[in-house]
Amino acid sequence: MENLAQRLDDIAESIRASFKEKDAAREKALPGCREAIRHCSESIRAIHRQEFDNAHDSLKKAKLLIDEAEITIDACEELSNTAFFRDAQKEYAEGCITLAIITGTEIPTPEELKIDSAAYLNGMGEVTGELRRYLLDGLRRGDMSRAEGILSVMDAIYEVLVTIDFPDAITGNLRRTTDMVRGILEKTRSDLTLSLQQKRLENKLSAFQDSIGKNNTGG
């Protein structure tokens, strides 16, 4: 029994050492991922303010932090799928894809961004929320020049996401993101349709008033 107790103590000590190493890696990586997410949020705000250089700089800072976090947890395979690391990758994908779409540049691939495919797809889904905001901001300014183009991009994103039919454990709950995208798309399509109808009505009214003015002048 004495040997058994010693054996169990040795096993427990080995497990504690392993857990301690993993916990230290997690505590080191977590702040970096949180900071990366903050930089990604800053990039989104900069995009909406048309400050594209600032957005690019914020994304570069985020990527450096994500890379550092990845190195830290690389030795601990269990940590590679933790929520905070995947969230940082997802937010980074969202920022990069949004910036590419708004500036008219080529959308980066997950390989180019060096991030997990599931995080990439969920980030792509969240891009639609930012595109809706960008579109509505344009409508409020009376600028409809890009509205239909942006809606087409949102449509294209949804059409891609809805074809990814794999278990949630693989896709990182992509079905939930896809459902969210469908709701955003439907609302945005409705808002844009209403704005276009209102614009056409305003144009007809303006043309009618101009014709009355000309008739009165001619009279």
Side-chain angles (χ1 to χ4, degrees):
M1 289 297 293
E2 214 173 291
N3 288 338
L4 175 61
Q6 183 60 52
R7 178 67 173 169
L8 289 175
D9 283 344
D10 291 343
I11 291 172
E13 184 58 33
S14 175
I15 291 172
R16 276 193 292 270
S18 174
F19 283 171
K20 186 176 181 180
E21 182 181 349
K22 290 179 175 62
D23 186 52
R26 181 183 181 279
E27 290 301 311
K28 184 177 179 182
L30 183 56
C33 288
R34 286 174 175 165
E35 187 71 4
I37 290 172
R38 185 180 68 80
H39 285 306
C40 291
S41 297
E42 288 175 351
S43 77
I44 292 293
R45 287 197 294 272
I47 291 169
H48 287 293
R49 293 194 298 262
Q50 310 284 311
E51 298 170 356
F52 302 126
D53 287 342
N54 289 343
H56 182 70
D57 289 344
S58 292
L59 288 171
K60 282 177 63 177
K61 292 174 183 175
K63 186 60 169 69
L64 287 173
L65 289 164
I66 291 171
D67 287 346
E68 288 175 7
E70 189 168 18
I71 292 171
T72 300
I73 67 176
D74 195 45
C76 301
E77 188 177 342
E78 296 92 332
L79 294 180
S80 63
N81 289 314
T82 52
F84 68 83
F85 184 62
R86 290 292 176 237
D87 282 347
Q89 290 192 322
K90 179 188 69 175
E91 296 295 323
Y92 177 65
E94 179 186 357
C96 291
I97 296 170
T98 301
L99 181 60
I101 292 170
I102 296 303
T103 58
T105 57
E106 192 170 47
I107 294 174
T109 66
E111 291 77 18
E112 289 168 341
L113 298 180
K114 295 182 173 62
I115 62 172
D116 175 74
S117 295
Y120 178 90
L121 288 173
N122 279 283
M124 179 186 287
E126 295 197 359
V127 167
T128 57
E130 300 306 327
L131 293 180
R132 169 177 166 78
R133 177 182 166 190
Y134 195 88
L135 185 153
L136 293 179
D137 285 346
L139 294 182
R140 278 191 285 271
R141 295 192 304 268
D143 178 10
M144 305 181 72
S145 59
R146 299 191 62 186
E148 293 190 73
I150 289 175
L151 183 64
S152 294
V153 173
M154 295 170 68
D155 255 325
I157 289 173
Y158 176 70
E159 288 169 7
V160 167
L161 296 183
V162 80
T163 65
I164 308 297
D165 187 20
F166 292 92
D168 285 344
I170 294 175
T171 65
N173 294 315
L174 186 62
R175 284 194 184 93
R176 183 175 59 190
T177 299
T178 304
D179 288 342
M180 177 269 294
V181 171
R182 183 174 64 246
I184 289 174
L185 186 57
E186 289 172 354
K187 286 192 295 184
T188 306
R189 195 188 311 280
S190 176
D191 290 338
L192 180 56
T193 299
L194 186 61
S195 294
L196 290 172
Q197 290 173 341
Q198 184 177 343
K199 185 65 175 177
R200 282 195 290 267
L201 182 60
E202 289 173 355
N203 289 341
K204 287 181 180 179
L205 181 59
S206 179
F208 178 68
Q209 289 173 335
D210 287 344
S211 66
I212 291 177
K214 288 178 182 177
N215 288 337
N216 289 338
T217 303

